[in-house]
Amino acid sequence: EDPTASRTITLMPGYAPEGELYIGLTNAQPSGSLTLLFAAAEGSENPLAPTFGKDQHIGWYSLTNNEWQSLNHDFLTADDTNNLLRPGIVRMNLPAAINASNSLLDAGYFWLKAQLPQGLHHTSVCKLAGIHAQAVTAEFRDNDNDPSHLATALPAATISKAIDKPAGIKGLSQPYGSFGGALQEHDQTFYLRISERLRHKQRAVTIWDYERLVLQEFPAVHKVKCISHTCIPTEAGDPAYSETAPGNISLVVIPDIRNRNLYDRLQPRASQNTLREIEQFLAPLMGLHVNCIVAHPDYETVALDFRVKFHDRYDANAYHGILNEDILRHLSPWAFGEDAAIHFGGRLYKSVLIRFIEELEYVDFVSRFKMYHRIGKEDNNIKDMSEIVASSARAILVSAPLHTIAVIESDKVCDE
């Protein structure tokens, strides 16, 4: 039987539209083991991009005789990256047939490929700060060290050599800072944690239980809201959003935005990795017949369209941008590092916003003031509203990044 009878040979190489990552290795050994550190910036993925389904994962391939051969679980022994949604190490055994004499890519390298599954986008995974071979995880051991040093991460390049150098290792490096350290618990936090533990008994039964369990286990979460009998669609084909779905529990998570690089400062969303870890953490703590869904908030945009007259002593070109920034700070103060909470639900009145703008020291007056409520990315609602109310329990009213502001050059306002 001709082994090439079922093969599809194309004139030009084929590339997956979802995205592919090529890794070239030197001095690799067929049938040898390999560890790769993926320094992923957790949270840098687009939270609105398509997400991995329950049975979807990144596919790994090796280049052999100009053909990509799939690497199954026999070759992939460990993967701490959760589909490149967090930093971690991938361990694999290279196939015996891999070679470095291919013409499809540069010769002299052993080539590996990571490919996103169908339906995803390259922004569905985190951005990579680097990929490093022969990586291991070093663990801190307490030798009567100063406990306060755990308050900050160990800077990169602090560790440069081993005390007892193992045979066969020429050198080592620490390209990134440490992670996972925490100070010893203080009495106040200890009594608070114990009091909460005595109440929920490490079981998720009430709304309060769900929220406190998540906040205790995940310090990177700023706020979590548990909504009973509510179903939130997380994948294509899921039922529509409903707040009358018995047997379902929905957790809406807001990340801690302090000292973090976010994809969108006005609409902070936790990383997909954090959402999946919360689901896995709660699974053994809740009832068997409860379906728990962890999702992002539903940010609903407030957009303004108006004309403004500045006082004569203020430059109109400069204060046009300052006014837009002041509106952002007023509607979404938490996005600018201010000590303000993010509230679910709520309502906004046009009259209150007009008063706020007219009381700014550089504003003379405003006219033709319109306020729009936009729900969802594709919502093109252009109806002027005097009052905006959040549409659901998971909704948060947030400012649009750019408002439509026309500057009036003269005190005479035309009605046309």
Side-chain angles (χ1 to χ4, degrees), residues 217-271:
E217 185 69 17
F218 298 90
V221 173
H222 168 69
K223 192 172 187 177
V224 57
K225 182 176 183 178
C226 179
I227 312 174
S228 59
H229 51 73
T230 299
C231 179
I232 298 177
T234 58
E235 298 180 17
D238 286 352
Y241 177 82
S242 172
E243 294 185 2
T244 56
N248 291 276
I249 288 288
S250 295
L251 292 177
V252 184
V253 176
I254 300 176
D256 187 351
I257 63 177
R258 295 174 297 179
N259 301 321
R260 292 177 64 89
N261 294 322
L262 298 175
Y263 191 86
D264 187 347
R265 63 171 182 167
L266 291 175
Q267 301 184 14
R269 293 177 171 87
S271 67

Side-chain angles (χ1 to χ4, degrees), residues 94-105:
L94 297 178
I98 192 173
N99 58 62
S101 57
N102 300 279
S103 59
L104 185 63
L105 295 174

